[in-house]
Amino acid sequence: MKLYHYFRSSASYRVRIALNLKNLPYDAVAIDLRPGVSAQRSTDYLALNPQGLVPVLVDGERTLTQSLAIIEYLEETHPQPPLLPAEPLARARVRALSLAIACEISPLNNSGVLEYLCGPLGAAEDQVNAWYVHWIGRGFRALEQEVTKTSGDGKHMFGTAVTLADVLLVPQMYNARRFNAELAPYPRLRAIAAHLEALPAFARAAPERYADG
Ligand SMILES: N[C@@H](CCC(=O)N[C@@H](CS)C(=O)NCC(=O)O)C(=O)O
């Protein structure tokens, strides 16, 4: 398999973690998202993914986009170890935690949105920072409460084993730290992320491992 990604991209980071958890080897192809390079908007890359976003996973003849769709594809084609529990209500809970990050935080704070705010819309740097912190705060405050009900051990978002929700949390925490968001109000999320980041599948997916692209 071939993963088109960017080292700092949280959506790419999710897929790297999932591939590692499933013990699936892959070749990483760096797509440089830095303004001024914007390799995601090159003609060649747009032919691969007209959305102009990373990640893209190529599995043989199949090209897959959107990190959650990619991870669910991996889950269905390589069920072990499972990232979703077997029971329907538990699956819904894990998906709800995951979507609280993937839909309510990430899209508002991704690089394309921030560039649009400070570019065409002319927002000042402190306004863009306030925007970022607002959406992180709203999302993390809710999750900090949710995990009091869903985490079984204070080390996982749901139950006592790694799930999709954990795969989403770690990259979002990395992103929040990168933007200097205040994380003191979220001790439970920080404890869960600290535990997960030390696991080999998560550690091997960390952006620092790919900092040269
Ligand atoms: N919903 C998409 C989001 C992908 C996304 O926003 N990727 C960002 C990096 S994390 C990107 O490619 N940004 C480039 C741009 O917006 O031009 C997914 O989960 O794959």
Side-chain angles (χ1 to χ4, degrees), residues 1 22 24 57 59 62 64 70-80:
M1 282 190 264
K22 302 275 183 192
L24 296 170
L57 185 75
D59 182 15
R62 305 165 206 162
L64 295 109
I70 293 170
I71 294 170
E72 293 239 7
Y73 167 82
L74 295 174
E75 176 77 355
E76 287 161 19
T77 53
H78 300 85
Q80 296 302 325

Side-chain angles (χ1 to χ4, degrees), residues 155-212:
K155 297 176 180 172
H156 300 89
M157 294 290 280
F158 183 90
T160 57
V162 170
T163 65
L164 180 64
D166 298 312
V167 173
L168 274 282
L169 177 70
V170 165
Q172 193 59 63
M173 281 295 240
Y174 163 81
N175 192 266
R177 286 196 297 265
R178 189 159 83 85
F179 283 86
N180 298 316
E182 174 64 78
L183 296 177
Y186 318 114
R188 297 182 194 98
L189 297 183
R190 283 191 288 116
I192 293 170
H195 167 75
L196 296 167
E197 281 160 5
L199 302 178
F202 286 79
R204 282 193 288 120
E208 302 76 50
R209 292 284 187 103
Y210 293 88
D212 58 354

Side-chain angles (χ1 to χ4, degrees), residues 53-159:
L53 298 170
V54 289
V56 164
L57 185 75
V58 175
D59 182 15
E61 299 298 306
R62 305 165 206 162
T63 299
L64 295 109
T65 63
Q66 289 288 336
S67 61
L68 287 197
I70 293 170
I71 294 170
E72 293 239 7
Y73 167 82
L74 295 174
E75 176 77 355
E76 287 161 19
T77 53
H78 300 85
Q80 296 302 325
L83 295 177
L84 288 168
E87 196 264 320
L89 181 60
R91 288 166 85 82
R93 297 262 187 262
V94 169
R95 286 193 171 112
L97 292 167
S98 306
L99 294 172
I101 295 173
C103 298
E104 312 301 335
I105 303 176
S106 285
L108 291 158
N109 281 355
N110 78 21
S111 51
V113 167
L114 301 182
E115 276 170 36
Y116 188 68
L117 285 174
C118 66
L121 295 188
E125 194 180 333
D126 60 333
Q127 290 177 306
V128 177
N129 287 341
W131 169 281
Y132 183 92
V133 165
H134 172 76
W135 296 111
I136 279 283
R138 203 177 87 144
F140 275 6
R141 270 195 302 280
L143 284 170
E144 181 74 10
Q145 290 307 309
E146 298 272 4
V147 295
T148 62
K149 292 176 274 168
T150 59
S151 178
D153 57 6
K155 297 176 180 172
H156 300 89
M157 294 290 280
F158 183 90

